[in-house]
Amino acid sequence: MNLTKTIFLLSIFFFFNHLCAIDRQIDSVDHYLNAVENLVDYRDVFKEEFLDIEFLLQKNEHAQGKDKALTLLSLYTAYIYKSAELANNYNDQAMALSEKLAFREGVLKANYNRAYFLFVLGDFEESMKMVLEIQKVVGTTTYPEIFADISTLKSYIYTERGEYDRALETGLRLLDSGEKSKNDYLLMKANSALSHYYLRIENYSKSLSYCLKGLHYILKLKKTQYIYPKIDEIARMTAKLNDPKGALKVYAFFLEMEKKLPPAGSYISASVHSNMAHIYMTTGEHEKALNHISKALEINFENNYRFRIPRALTVQAELYLKTKDTSEAIINYEKSIEAAENIDAFDVIKRNSLVLSELYEKTEQPTKSKDYKILYQALNDSLFSNEKEQKIVILETKRKIKEVVQRKKILELENIAQKAKFRGIIIILILLLITSSISLFSYLKVKKKNKLLLLRTVDLAAIQLRMSEKLSEIQFAETQWSVERKSADIPKTQPRIDKDIKNIILTKLANLEKENFFLDPQCNLHQLSEQLKTNPKYLSQVINQEKKSNFNNYINELRINFLLPKLLKDIEFRNSKLSYIAFSLGYNNLNTFNAAFKKRLGILPSNFINELNNSFEIKNKSLKPPYKLKRIG
């Protein structure tokens, strides 16, 4: 047995080294299905990794302490897609034992399992509450696997709610953390989150790519509980990429795996039936499609999988449209919207309300058509869909740039390996020498100029402080007068909604600025709009038009303007650690603070503070009236 394990591990080692060296194979579906089959052939060697229930039950009888808690958690994982009652029973036992042993990791994992189960049932709100509680005590360095689990679950929930910008941001942050730490588990979960996101926005090519990358790490880590869901995802996306025959071939592979492994369970089976219904619908085999979607709905309702019901009803509605049964299609679309409202699946509501609007228009029912069109428009303008497309474009662009850089590094390394290594090293050393020489020359040349720039910046900051103190009252009075005048000019019989909203937002914003709302680390467009009781879209427009800035630059401007007088007046505060200064302004990390300060004043805060301290000692006369600074305390 040991020899067999050794041989297998060596083969896996060379297999994955080969995968890393040949990146272009990563999108090969057949390649990964063969790898799955190879791993499954060793299921008897790795019974614990394959969650063999009989093996785990025997182990549970003899295990003690933390080992028993972990075994109970494994039994939860083995049963989660098969029997919710048994799964939750084992999870509750694990929770009770972990609390008794003060086993923090066991408690956190059991809590995550509860949050995930709520997600499976479609209770996104309660699931997210639990995730946010767990997030307070985990990180990439403390319990990295639990951090990856909850980050992925967050991205799933955002995606199902239609909050696509948040889902993408969460997935990309997790991917960056995985790449920086080279943690395979983080990379596995990040690729899963991104695959789910791109599936929902119907970018099936990207979704499949991330799915296969995730499968790479599933195989490497032998996290076999994800094999069935990944095969299902691959088949679904293959079908969406206009290859129904290829998708059916993948599902045939799925059935072969069920002969070798325990059945997938009702939760995954429901998804398989729903996806197969969609495939047969595209090939015109409507009878087969109806059988599969009926089976999917039966499983979902029987197990109360509220998360899957709206999409299954949508597939059934699409099938009725294919068969020209418009009335049944309308009934199923309306049922899907009702089911989606129960779980806040706003993307389903938005999409299907638009379809219903068009169907009612075709069937000459203008009132109902108008009602659904209004519902669609309201959701389209809501919090969940009016986030600027620029944010997603920026995130995707950053990701693309990073991928290009990584590919370039790989190509460079391969090219160097093919050529004479010593010659390459010599060239690199020469380039480094030239670069260092140029950098040193440039540094010496501009050092004096930078010194003058620092002194000038300090003087300008002092002038700014003096002027801001004199003009603050005048500016406030002018703002108030302007708002009142605008409000008075608007006839009460014909209210101008846009100007009313703008004036209200500006007044509230001015009051919040006095209260230094921008020092809150949690300050963002959503939180501020809720505080002002307005739509993020209107708030963003007002800031763009009236403040001549986007939201982030507006907040940074307020923070740096708040900071400058404190640096000039308060010696003790000025000599605090930069991290403390950044935190007191509401920045969560020093890099963001440095970037904001430099953008505002042209120099780093550390250089500014050093020069300010030097000015007090060397250029004392520059601090005399009208630039004299008050010493606090």
Side-chain angles (χ1 to χ4, degrees):
M1 184 66 72
N2 289 334
L3 179 60
T4 306
K5 277 192 175 184
T6 303
I7 293 171
F8 175 77
L9 290 172
L10 285 172
S11 64
I12 289 292
F13 173 79
F14 288 113
F15 171 73
F16 284 107
N17 273 329
H18 183 65
L19 284 181
C20 294
I22 310 176
D23 189 58
R24 55 183 173 272
Q25 286 186 333
I26 202 154
D27 290 326
S28 170
V29 171
D30 289 338
H31 173 78
Y32 279 101
L33 294 183
N34 289 335
V36 169
E37 192 169 19
N38 290 336
L39 180 59
V40 170
D41 287 341
Y42 284 87
R43 61 192 178 280
D44 292 332
V45 179
F46 299 101
K47 289 188 176 184
E48 186 161 7
E49 287 80 357
F50 275 89
L51 301 173
D52 185 295
I53 291 175
E54 184 178 345
F55 173 84
L56 291 174
L57 289 172
Q58 290 178 356
K59 182 178 179 181
N60 187 48
E61 289 181 5
H62 303 96
Q64 297 292 329
K66 293 181 180 179
D67 190 39
K68 186 176 181 68
L70 293 173
T71 304
L72 289 167
L73 290 169
S74 294
L75 281 165
Y76 162 86
T77 304
Y79 277 107
I80 182 60
Y81 297 134
K82 299 177 179 66
S83 170
E85 183 179 355
L86 284 172
N88 286 323
N89 182 39
Y90 285 120
N91 194 61
D92 290 343
Q93 290 182 47
M95 172 68 82
L97 180 58
S98 296
E99 288 177 341
K100 182 179 179 181
L101 298 170
F103 180 31
R104 189 71 176 279
E105 183 179 0
V107 172
L108 291 170
K109 284 185 175 181
N111 275 321
Y112 162 74
N113 288 342
R114 289 177 177 176
Y116 182 76
F117 183 70
L118 288 169
F119 169 77
V120 168
L121 295 180
D123 195 344
F124 299 150
E125 184 176 353
E126 286 303 315
S127 180
M128 181 63 87
K129 284 180 182 178
M130 291 194 70
V131 164
L132 294 177
E133 284 300 312
I134 301 169
Q135 190 178 37
K136 294 176 182 178
V137 294
V138 301
T140 54
T141 54
T142 58
Y143 310 112
E145 291 192 6
I146 302 172
F147 172 81
D149 289 335
I150 62 168
S151 296
T152 303
L153 185 52
K154 270 180 69 178
S155 181
Y156 285 171
I157 295 172
Y158 284 142
T159 298
E160 293 305 320
R161 283 176 167 178
E163 298 176 80
Y164 295 128
D165 58 329
R166 294 182 179 182
L168 176 60
E169 183 177 11
T170 303
L172 289 179
R173 286 183 185 277
L174 182 58
L175 184 59
D176 285 339
S177 297
E179 288 173 342
K180 288 175 182 176
S181 62
K182 297 181 180 179
N183 185 306
D184 290 340
Y185 192 90
L186 266 64
L187 292 168
M188 177 187 73
K189 299 296 282 189
N191 280 291
S192 177
L194 291 169
S195 174
H196 187 250
Y197 160 77
Y198 281 110
L199 175 65
R200 286 289 179 262
I201 67 167
E202 300 180 357
N203 189 335
Y204 302 118
S205 179
K206 272 194 173 183
S207 181
L208 179 58
S209 177
Y210 279 113
C211 178
L212 293 174
K213 289 175 184 176
L215 183 54
H216 164 83
Y217 293 104
I218 288 170
L219 295 171
K220 187 175 181 182
L221 297 170
K222 295 192 284 298
K223 296 295 180 180
T224 59
Q225 66 267 33
Y226 301 118
I227 286 179
Y228 279 133
K230 284 300 168 187
I231 298 174
D232 179 36
E233 288 176 27
I234 290 169
R236 181 178 183 180
M237 287 175 277
T238 302
K240 293 290 187 181
L241 291 170
N242 299 318
D243 186 9
K245 290 183 179 179
L248 290 173
K249 179 182 174 183
V250 176
Y251 275 128
F253 178 82
F254 184 99
L255 296 174
E256 286 298 316
M257 290 300 100
E258 280 201 308
K259 293 177 183 177
K260 298 181 178 182
L261 298 172
S266 58
Y267 184 71
I268 297 170
S269 293
S271 175
V272 170
H273 283 295
S274 182
N275 294 334
M276 290 190 74
H278 195 277
I279 293 169
Y280 283 122
M281 183 168 59
T282 60
T283 60
E285 299 175 83
H286 296 150
E287 193 64 33
K288 289 183 178 179
L290 184 59
N291 289 336
H292 279 290
I293 197 59
S294 299
K295 185 64 177 175
L297 284 167
E298 180 185 342
I299 296 171
N300 285 326
F301 280 115
E302 183 180 341
N303 293 277
N304 196 29
Y305 294 148
R306 297 191 303 159
F307 165 47
R308 296 198 183 279
I309 290 171
R311 300 186 192 282
L313 287 168
T314 300
V315 173
Q316 185 159 274
E318 291 171 352
L319 178 58
Y320 281 122
L321 278 183
K322 289 278 187 181
T323 57
K324 309 298 182 183
D325 192 343
T326 306
S327 60
E328 281 296 324
I330 288 174
I331 290 171
N332 278 274
Y333 275 123
E334 288 183 331
K335 285 181 178 178
S336 73
I337 287 179
E338 183 180 353
E341 286 175 345
N342 291 333
I343 61 172
D344 294 337
F346 295 101
D347 62 327
V348 176
I349 301 171
K350 188 176 93 170
R351 183 171 58 249
N352 289 356
S353 61
L354 179 62
V355 175
L356 279 170
S357 172
E358 295 169 351
L359 289 176
Y360 277 123
E361 187 175 353
K362 288 179 181 178
T363 55
E364 298 182 352
Q365 299 181 67
T367 302
K368 288 189 175 181
S369 175
K370 184 179 179 182
D371 289 342
Y372 279 108
K373 190 172 289 185
I374 290 171
L375 174 61
Y376 167 77
Q377 196 61 50
L379 285 172
N380 200 43
D381 292 337
S382 74
L383 169 67
F384 299 102
S385 56
N386 81 4
E387 293 293 335
K388 289 186 176 180
E389 291 182 1
Q390 293 175 355
K391 186 172 183 180
I392 291 180
V393 170
I394 290 168
L395 288 169
E396 288 182 329
T397 302
K398 286 181 178 178
R399 187 70 221 152
K400 287 177 182 176
I401 291 171
K402 191 167 185 177
E403 288 175 353
V404 168
V405 170
Q406 288 175 338
R407 288 195 191 102
K408 186 178 178 181
K409 287 180 179 178
I410 291 170
L411 289 172
E412 286 175 352
L413 290 172
E414 289 177 350
N415 189 43
I416 290 170
Q418 292 170 357
K419 294 180 180 180
K421 291 184 180 180
F422 291 108
R423 188 178 67 177
I425 292 170
I426 291 171
I427 291 172
I428 291 171
L429 288 173
I430 292 172
L431 288 174
L432 286 172
L433 182 61
I434 293 171
T435 304
S436 300
S437 301
I438 293 171
S439 300
L440 181 61
F441 175 76
S442 301
Y443 171 76
L444 294 173
K445 185 177 180 181
V446 303
K447 185 177 180 182
K448 184 176 180 180
K449 184 178 178 180
N450 286 342
K451 183 74 173 179
L452 293 173
L453 178 61
L454 286 171
L455 290 170
R456 187 178 300 172
T457 303
V458 172
D459 290 341
L460 287 174
I463 293 171
Q464 182 186 20
L465 172 62
R466 180 172 60 88
M467 295 302 293
S468 64
E469 288 174 349
K470 288 183 178 180
L471 295 176
S472 58
E473 293 183 3
I474 296 173
Q475 288 174 340
F476 174 74
E478 286 181 349
T479 302
Q480 291 289 70
W481 177 82
S482 176
V483 171
E484 291 170 3
R485 187 189 66 179
K486 288 179 182 177
S487 300
D489 289 345
I490 298 172
K492 292 184 178 179
T493 55
Q494 295 181 344
R496 292 172 163 181
I497 297 175
D498 288 345
K499 288 189 177 180
D500 285 341
I501 292 173
K502 185 189 294 183
N503 291 339
I504 291 169
I505 291 174
L506 282 172
T507 302
K508 289 181 177 181
L509 202 55
N511 291 333
L512 284 178
E513 286 179 8
K514 293 177 187 177
E515 298 171 6
N516 298 330
F517 78 95
F518 46 83
L519 299 181
D520 183 358
Q522 304 301 321
C523 177
N524 56 54
L525 185 61
H526 296 283
Q527 182 253 5
L528 183 57
S529 64
E530 290 176 0
Q531 196 171 354
L532 295 176
K533 301 189 183 308
T534 187
N535 190 299
K537 181 178 181 180
Y538 293 129
L539 177 57
S540 179
Q541 288 176 351
V542 168
I543 291 173
N544 289 342
Q545 294 171 8
E546 301 301 320
K547 305 297 183 180
K548 308 302 179 186
S549 176
N550 62 31
F551 181 78
N552 286 337
N553 288 340
Y554 166 63
I555 294 298
N556 287 333
E557 186 82 9
L558 290 174
R559 288 173 173 174
I560 301 306
N561 286 346
F562 176 82
L563 170 65
L564 287 176
K566 286 180 71 70
L567 290 179
L568 290 167
K569 292 179 178 181
D570 192 336
I571 296 174
E572 185 177 350
F573 177 77
R574 182 168 68 240
N575 291 319
S576 301
K577 287 186 177 180
L578 274 179
S579 57
Y580 169 77
I581 294 175
F583 181 78
S584 69
L585 293 177
Y587 291 104
N588 290 321
N589 63 74
L590 191 55
N591 290 338
T592 307
F593 168 56
N594 283 337
F597 193 96
K598 187 171 183 181
K599 184 176 181 181
R600 174 73 174 78
L601 295 177
I603 59 173
L604 290 171
S606 56
N607 293 339
F608 179 84
I609 291 169
N610 288 338
E611 193 56 43
L612 192 59
N613 287 332
N614 291 337
S615 296
F616 271 96
E617 296 174 3
I618 300 172
K619 296 183 65 181
N620 191 41
K621 63 180 181 180
S622 68
L623 300 177
K624 293 179 180 179
Y627 307 110
K628 186 173 182 179
L629 303 178
K630 299 177 182 179
R631 185 183 296 274
I632 297 177

